[in-house]
Each structure stands twice: as structure tokens, then as C-alpha cells.
Amino acid sequence: MFGIIPPSFYHTFFLILFGVLVFTHVLKLSQTSNGQLLHQSRADSGYYGALLLSIFLIIFFGTRDPNSEIFADTIGYAGRYNSIKNAGTSSVWYSIFTSQTSERIWAQLLLFTAKCNFNVSVWFTTIAAVYIYSIFISVRKIFPNHVLLACVFAFLNFGFYGGAINGIRNGMALSIVLLALTIIITKERRMLWAILLMGIAYEIHSSTILPSLCLLCSVYFIKKPKLTIAIWFSSIAISLVAGNAIAPIFDSLGLDDRLSSYLESGNTGLMNNAFSNIGFRWDFLIFSAVPIVWGWWIITKKHLNDKKYGIIFNTYVLANSFWVLVIRASFSNRFAALSWFLYFLVLIYPMLKHNLFPRQGATISIMLIGLFLVNIII
């Protein structure tokens, strides 16, 4: 919140806020039986609390200092926006955005708000609103009886904070893909609307074609978790043997015109240092494997037969398989985000929909604390 919270304190404030929310929910879950958890009424879902939290986060991220290097890519986004706002048609960025043939929705949104002479914070708040409110709607539709708890999981999802202040276009587009998935797995199942949302996401950030295709494959073609897991292990083997040769192939596919810069080892800049190392990242492979192992165990050992969860799980595994292929690249976090935006959903969906453990609340608490610690450590 520009002028109120210093940029250097932003992430700390975020952690304090969610630390309180995690503690509150862990305390509540410790006193909640499986029956109370699975049959909680919508009146006790925490809907209004989740809505207020979402609105606060929209303002919190939208009004950040656009000139602080702590917010990394924010400076570049703000510079391009202000160039168009101040110079109009004479700005070089105006010519670039008006002439581009892809990601046109993003370009038109930027041009429209700049022509309206809105302050850059208004533009950032608009982006944050689409990003966060899309997640809120998805959570409310999927978990109508646990809106606040599911929102806390979603906002603690690894990559959420970065998508709000750094990779804002990618985060915005992926939240719309999440909406598309929500439409598919809820009772409406309006595929045409889902495909329309995928198209909108693509016109915001073209790399979202990957999770969109994985989602469609999970709905129509690859429905068996054993097959997607086999694909994931095959990706590991290919990456270990021929990882250095894989990156140029993906670059040539044109999935994202920025992907080449992420795949080049010489890329430097204000990116997440956790991903700045080059080589096969066993640490982040293990991190990615957690929901895969969890989903496999729930489906095979707990005999969960839920087609909706199958779509969520298979979409995550397929999208993550593509990231594994380019895991050696520096700054591959942008590519990893194409699967990690579903991380929380793979974990929490079966826990809030099915009776799987004697003390289910305790297991949910462990997951919640785990995601919170990941935000602190990484």
C-alpha cells in the first residue's frame, strides 16, 4: 500500500497476515470433527471473510510502490504504462502494443487505461482485481462450504505472491484458466464458456496455452492418473538424459515469446533468486512431486473415484511434466507456474470433499502450515 507500508516490509506484512489466518484456522480445525468439516453449512463458510480478504489483497497489491526494485518486474510494467500515458501515440511502446498480433487483450487493456489517464496504481489495481477475484470466484464455486479456508490455501499457494507483484500478466492469465477449470468441474460444465476463458487467458499471456491444452487432454483424452504419472516420470528421464537439448525445442514452439529469455543460462535481472541456479533442480522437483505423490496415494490407496479430482490431478501432472523437461534452465519459475497454480487445489480438494482420514482436520492443518512455511523459506 503505497505510502503506508514500505516496500521492504511488504512480504513480511503478507506473512504476518497469513500467519494469523493460519493459526486461527489450525486452532479451529483442531476442534472440528470430520462430520462437522464435511457437512459444514454455507452460512459458516466464511464467505464474507474471504471476500473482505480478497478486496484487501487487491488494494494491497494494486497500490504498491511502482518504483521500488523490490517489486522486480513492476518497474518495467509501470515504465511502459507511464510512457504510453504521458507520450500517447508518440510513445514507442504505443506503436509496439498497437501493432502486436498476439496477447491483444493485454495490450488493449493497457492502452485503454492509459488513454483514460488513470494513475499507474489504478492500472495495477485493475490487474490485481482480475487476478485475485478470479481466484475467489473459483474457490467459492468449488468449495461453497469452505470459502475462507480454501481462499487461505489459494493465497498461500507458492507463486501467488509473485504473480501479484512480479509476473502479473502470467498470474492474471492463469487465474482465468483456473476459472475455466472451475466451470468444467462444477455442475454447469459449460465447455464453450471454459474454452472462451482459455482464449481470453491466451490473449493475455500466450504461455497459458500449455495448461489449457493439458486441461482439455485431461477432460477428453488422458483420464487415467497412472498414464499421466508415467508421462511425468518419462519427462524426468528425458530431462536427465537430454535436458540441455530440450530447451531450444520448446523455444521454437513459440509457446511464449519470453520463454527464450528464461531458458538462456545468461539471463540476469530482478527475478526470484530461488530459481537463479542452473542445473537439474532436485529440490524443486521434490516440491513438485508432493501433490503428485499425494494424489496418487489418495486415488489408489484410498480408492478415491472422483472424476472432477481426476481432471484437476491430471492437468497438474501433465503441465508439470513439461516444466520438468526444461528444469535445467535458469529462471524456469515462469514455466513452473503453468502447473503450480493448481498446487493447492490438488492438495485440498479431496480433503474438503471426502471422508478419508480419522482426523481430517489435523491433516489439513499440516498442509496449511506446510504451505505457509514454504512462503517463508523460499
Side-chain angles (χ1 to χ4, degrees):
M1 303 176 77
F2 189 26
I4 300 176
I5 301 177
S8 59
F9 190 65
Y10 245 67
H11 192 240
T12 302
F13 182 89
F14 178 84
L15 292 176
I16 292 173
L17 171 63
F18 278 89
V20 172
L21 289 170
V22 168
F23 176 79
T24 302
H25 278 88
V26 168
L27 189 63
K28 181 180 178 181
L29 287 167
S30 67
Q31 303 170 353
T32 304
S33 67
N34 283 15
Q36 292 172 321
L37 179 69
L38 297 173
H39 300 96
Q40 182 170 277
S41 67
R42 294 194 179 188
D44 298 322
S45 68
Y47 169 82
Y48 291 107
L51 180 61
L52 288 175
L53 176 62
S54 299
I55 292 172
F56 173 79
L57 290 177
I58 289 169
I59 298 171
F60 176 71
F61 289 119
T63 58
R64 65 191 180 278
D65 184 353
N67 301 311
S68 173
E69 291 188 355
I70 290 176
F71 299 132
D73 290 358
T74 290
I75 297 176
Y77 283 117
R80 290 188 285 274
Y81 179 85
N82 285 325
S83 174
I84 295 172
K85 175 189 170 187
N86 297 326
T89 56
S90 61
S91 169
V92 64
W93 288 108
Y94 181 88
S95 300
I96 292 173
F97 282 114
T98 53
S99 62
Q100 69 182 50
T101 57
S102 64
E103 300 175 337
R104 287 164 290 191
I105 291 178
W106 172 262
Q108 291 305 313
L109 175 63
L110 186 151
L111 292 171
F112 173 77
T113 49
K115 287 179 181 178
C116 291
N117 205 35
F118 291 144
N119 183 278
V120 68
S121 292
V122 175
W123 182 55
F124 281 139
T125 301
T126 302
I127 296 168
V130 175
Y131 176 47
I132 294 170
Y133 195 65
S134 294
I135 295 173
F136 170 77
I137 293 175
S138 297
V139 164
R140 182 173 62 87
K141 285 286 186 180
I142 299 173
F143 306 106
N145 297 334
H146 302 90
V147 183
L148 181 56
L149 174 59
C151 271
V152 173
F153 266 94
F155 297 148
L156 279 176
N157 199 46
F158 184 63
F160 169 78
Y161 185 89
I165 54 94
N166 190 17
I168 59 175
R169 183 149 61 100
N170 192 33
M172 180 182 178
L174 287 174
S175 70
I176 295 175
V177 175
L178 180 62
L179 269 180
L181 182 148
T182 301
I183 288 176
I184 290 173
I185 67 173
T186 51
K187 292 180 180 179
E188 294 133 3
R189 196 169 177 129
R190 297 173 181 172
M191 184 56 70
L192 289 178
W193 284 106
I195 292 174
L196 175 62
L197 286 173
M198 293 178 206
I200 292 172
Y202 177 79
E203 287 296 334
I204 294 173
H205 203 288
S206 59
S207 66
T208 56
I209 191 174
L210 176 58
S212 296
L213 289 176
C214 291
L215 173 56
L216 292 175
C217 283
S218 299
V219 173
Y220 292 111
F221 305 110
I222 305 177
K223 300 181 180 182
K224 295 182 178 180
K226 288 183 179 180
L227 181 55
T228 56
I229 292 174
I231 292 172
W232 187 74
F233 276 110
S234 298
S235 297
I236 296 175
I238 293 172
S239 185
L240 285 170
V241 174
N244 293 329
I246 294 294
I249 296 175
F250 277 91
D251 184 19
S252 66
L253 292 177
L255 291 175
D256 179 8
D257 58 1
R258 282 150 306 283
L259 182 57
S260 60
S261 67
Y262 307 146
L263 299 177
E264 293 171 359
S265 61
N267 192 329
T268 59
L270 298 170
M271 304 284 282
N272 189 339
N273 290 331
F275 287 86
S276 61
N277 296 328
I278 303 169
F280 197 91
R281 298 302 305 271
W282 287 105
D283 48 354
F284 287 106
L285 180 66
I286 293 171
F287 176 76
S288 291
V290 171
I292 296 176
V293 173
W294 170 254
W296 168 82
W297 191 64
I298 290 294
I299 293 170
T300 60
K301 301 302 181 181
K302 289 291 183 177
H303 308 290
L304 179 64
N305 184 19
D306 186 322
K307 292 182 179 180
K308 296 176 182 179
Y309 185 63
I311 292 172
I312 296 169
F313 178 78
N314 289 336
T315 301
Y316 173 84
V317 177
L318 288 173
N320 193 258
S321 297
F322 283 94
W323 168 68
V324 172
L325 291 173
V326 296
I327 196 173
R328 294 175 182 272
S330 59
F331 309 111
S332 62
N333 58 322
R334 299 294 174 87
F335 210 80
L338 300 178
S339 61
W340 284 351
F341 77 104
L342 296 175
Y343 199 102
F344 82 99
L345 201 53
V346 178
L347 293 178
I348 196 61
Y349 182 93
M351 301 302 291
L352 295 180
K353 294 290 185 179
H354 301 278
N355 191 354
L356 300 171
F357 299 94
R359 296 184 60 195
Q360 203 141 296
T363 306
I364 296 174
S365 295
I366 293 171
M367 290 180 175
L368 197 55
I369 294 170
L371 284 179
F372 179 67
L373 291 176
V374 166
N375 279 268
I376 295 176
I377 296 170
I378 300 180

